[in-house]
DNA sequence: CTCTTGTTGCAAACGATTTGCATTTGCATT
DNA sequence: AATGCAAATGCAAATCGTTTGCAACAAGAG
C-alpha cells in the first residue's frame, strides 16, 4: 500500500512550487484527497475536512477544488444528475462505470476506445480536448 | 424532408394512447420538438413555446420534459456544465461531439465503440443500462 | 516583525430545476 | 350541450449545487 502521508507531502510540494500558499484548510483537503480511494463530492469532502479542522467552510472546499483542478492536481467528474465528484489526477487516464443501484464507481480503461474516439473526431474535423465516457449499469444477476 | 406536422401528430397519438392528456402547452411543446433539429434546453424550449402560446410557464416546460422523458418520447442530455438539453427519441442511438467554442453538438455513432463498451461492462460483471459518450473538442485549424 | 496580498468564513446571490397550492382545464360521463 | 372530477397549469416560493462580495484574517517575502 502506498504511503498516503508521503503522497500528501508530494502534493504540497508540487503546489507550493506552483506558487500556491499552504493554508490550514488546504492541508486538510490535500490530506483527505491523498487518503481517499473513492470519488467524493464537495459535501463529502467538507464533512471529512470538518473532522480535521472544524472551522473549515464549504465555500473553501469549493474554492480549493477549483484551484486544484486548475493546477491539474485533481479531476472533476460531473456524473449524470448528481453533484461533481473528484479524484486525484496522479493516476493514468480512465473512464467510469457507475453502478446505478449503489452509486459506486468502477474505473476502467480501453486504449481501443480512445483510438476510435480520436478517429471519429478527426473525421469530423475536430481535435478532442477531453472526453467523457460513462457506462451506467447494473450488476449482472447471478445466473 | 420529413413532415414535422405529421411527426407531431404521431407524437400526440402515441402519448394519448399512453393515457396522457393533450393540453394546450403540451401541444405547443410537441410541435417545437417535432420541428427542431438541434438540442435545445428547457429555457430555449420555453422561449419558443411562448411564441406559440404566451401563457405557458417555465415550470410546465420542465414538467412536460420530465413526462416526455418518462414516456420515452425524448432523451435528456446533461452535457458538462450547462443545463439539460433535449432531443427527440425517435432516431437511432448516437453519441455527441460538443464544440467547446460554440456549444454546437454534432451527432455520431460507432458500433465498434458500443461493442467494446459491452465487452468491458461484461468483464466487470455488469449490464449496461445506458451510457454517455461525449467528446469535447475544438475545430481543427486549417493547416 | 511588518507589510502585502492571498485566503478565509459567512451570508447572500446564483442558475437550473422542483414543488405547494389555489385555479383552470381536459375529457369521460351524463 | 351541461356536469364532475382528476389531472394539469401558472405562479411564487423552495430546493440543490455552486459561486461570489466582503470584511476579517493569516502566509510568507522582506
Amino acid at each position: 500500500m502506498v504511503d498516503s502521508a508521503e503522497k500528501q507531502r508530494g502534493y504540497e510540494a508540487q503546489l507550493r512550487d506552483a506558487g500556491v500558499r499552504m493554508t490550514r484548510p488546504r492541508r486538510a483537503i490535500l490530506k483527505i484527497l491523498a487518503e481517499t480511494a473513492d470519488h467524493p463530492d464537495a459535501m463529502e469532502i467538507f464533512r471529512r475536512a470538518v473532522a480535521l479542522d472544524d472551522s473549515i467552510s464549504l465555500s473553501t472546499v469549493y474554492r480549493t477544488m477549483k484551484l486544484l483542478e486548475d493546477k491539474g492536481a485533481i479531476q472533476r467528474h460531473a456524473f449524470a444528475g448528481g453533484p461533481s465528484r473528484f479524484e486525484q489526477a496522479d493516476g493514468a487516464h480512465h473512464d467510469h462505470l457507475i453502478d446505478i443501484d449503489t452509486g459506486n464507481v468502477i474505473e476502467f480503461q480501453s486504449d481501443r476506445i480512445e483510438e476510435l474516439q480520436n478517429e471519429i473526431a478527426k473525421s469530423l474535423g475536430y481535435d478532442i480536448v477531453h472526453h467523457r465516457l460513462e457506462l451506467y449499469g447494473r450488476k449482472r444477476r447471478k445466473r
Side-chain angles (χ1 to χ4, degrees), chain A:
Chain A
M1 183 195 174
V2 189
D3 183 349
S4 75
E6 187 185 334
K7 182 184 283 184
Q8 186 190 348
R9 255 173 275 123
Y11 265 135
E12 292 191 19
Q14 178 199 332
L15 289 168
R16 206 178 281 104
D17 289 352
V20 173
R21 279 193 196 175
M22 222 15 84
T23 67
R24 205 159 143 53
R26 284 179 184 169
R27 249 184 290 269
I29 291 172
L30 288 174
K31 182 168 164 58
I32 290 164
L33 291 173
E35 287 173 351
T36 216
D38 55 357
H39 300 69
D41 60 29
M43 187 50 88
E44 176 58 29
I45 291 171
F46 173 62
R47 271 188 285 266
R48 298 184 196 176
V50 167
L52 302 181
D53 172 359
D54 66 338
S55 79
I56 215 169
S57 81
L58 182 55
S59 15
T60 295
V61 171
Y62 276 109
R63 278 190 280 237
T64 302
M65 298 325 280
K66 172 126 68 188
L67 173 77
L68 295 179
E69 190 186 5
D70 290 347
K71 297 296 178 185
I74 62 169
Q75 256 189 269
R76 172 193 303 263
H77 300 293
F79 298 131
S84 291
R85 298 168 66 170
F86 306 90
E87 70 176 303
Q88 310 164 185
D90 56 355
H93 166 76
H94 55 254
D95 294 304
H96 298 97
L97 165 61
I98 295 96
D99 185 316
I100 282 190
D101 299 314
T102 68
N104 278 353
V105 176
I106 297 169
E107 303 177 349
F108 68 87
Q109 203 278 335
S110 166
D111 290 331
R112 194 73 195 89
I113 288 185
E114 312 273 312
E115 279 171 32
L116 288 168
Q117 289 175 5
N118 280 321
E119 279 175 29
I120 288 167
K122 190 168 160 187
S123 76
L124 294 170
Y126 278 80
D127 289 318
I128 295 182
V129 174
H130 65 275
H131 73 264
R132 182 152 103 172
L133 170 55
E134 291 155 20
L135 309 181
Y136 292 84
R138 180 165 285 136
K139 202 155 221 155
R140 179 170 298 215
R141 313 242 292 100
K142 78 149 175 301
R143 56 103 217 289

